[in-house]
Amino acid sequence: SIEFGDCAEGWYPAKQTVCADVARLSKVMPTNDEGFDVIVCTQVLEHLPDPPAALREMWRALAPGGQLILTVPFMEQYHQARGQFRDYWRWTHVGARQMVEAAGFRVDRLETAGSSLTATAAMLGFGTDDLHAGEMLEGSVGDYSATSDEDWGVHASQYQGVHVLASRPDADLEQATNKV
């Protein structure tokens, strides 16, 4: 893999890796028509004016059966850099699931990240480095992989973000599985 700091936009065939702005993904795709096996998009969608369009482009760029690793913020401070990027959106775990599924993905796993302590600290301007690891990790993951609200029960929670592992369904594989 390529270190983030070394990742200039382009296709790196020797490493089978592409680094690209999602809006220009089709311009740097490899020449094969099969698409990518994995797309990693972490803490990016909140900076795009049209996240659903970006997810549809990622779905198109993935090979059938390919996976999307996605993280989006929920309780984070507003952040932008003039002339570089803006900060538009935040997602609950319910909103993240709906947006990913609406783009055509199947959600394989969905978790919340952080705790009431880390979410509150983030809103007050503290980074996770300012907290002790034990306090930060306590209650840090909520698994919301179940497909409906009824499966979760009634609760309220405070967390920093949402982690999603999703895949582009492989129509041929799903048809074969449904026949068995």
Side-chain angles (χ1 to χ4, degrees), residues 19-176:
C19 292
D21 181 320
V22 71
R24 295 189 299 267
L25 189 57
S26 61
K27 294 180 178 147
V28 295
M29 284 182 66
T31 55
N32 69 22
D33 292 330
E34 294 182 18
F36 299 109
D37 294 326
V38 177
I39 292 178
V40 178
C41 181
T42 179
Q43 305 303 98
V44 171
L45 292 185
E46 72 269 23
H47 300 292
L48 304 177
D50 191 354
L55 283 169
R56 289 189 302 273
E57 176 65 8
M58 287 181 237
W59 184 92
R60 187 196 64 73
L62 268 178
Q67 293 191 305
L68 170 67
I69 300 168
L70 175 72
T71 67
V72 293
F74 175 52
M75 298 285 290
E76 288 286 340
Q77 282 192 327
Y78 175 80
H79 56 283
Q80 75 173 28
R82 187 176 303 188
Q84 293 180 27
F85 60 85
R86 293 204 139 149
D87 189 1
Y88 297 100
W89 312 103
R90 298 292 182 270
W91 289 271
T92 64
H93 57 283
V94 176
R97 174 186 294 277
Q98 187 281 328
M99 181 176 60
V100 169
E101 288 177 342
F105 290 96
R106 178 184 59 231
V107 173
D108 300 316
R109 185 157 180 89
L110 189 142
E111 297 176 345
T112 57
S115 64
S116 294
L117 177 62
T118 59
T120 302
M123 298 309 290
L124 293 172
F126 295 100
T128 53
D129 292 341
D130 297 319
L131 302 171
H132 293 95
E135 294 169 333
M136 188 172 64
L137 295 175
E138 186 177 323
S140 64
V141 175
D143 185 353
Y144 294 93
S145 297
T147 57
S148 79
D149 291 349
E150 289 110 31
D151 296 333
W152 304 325
V154 176
H155 72 283
S157 64
Q158 201 176 25
Y159 50 89
Q160 274 187 278
V162 181
H163 297 170
V164 181
L165 175 63
S167 54
R168 178 177 171 175
D170 183 331
D172 295 335
L173 180 61
E174 288 196 4
Q175 286 176 355

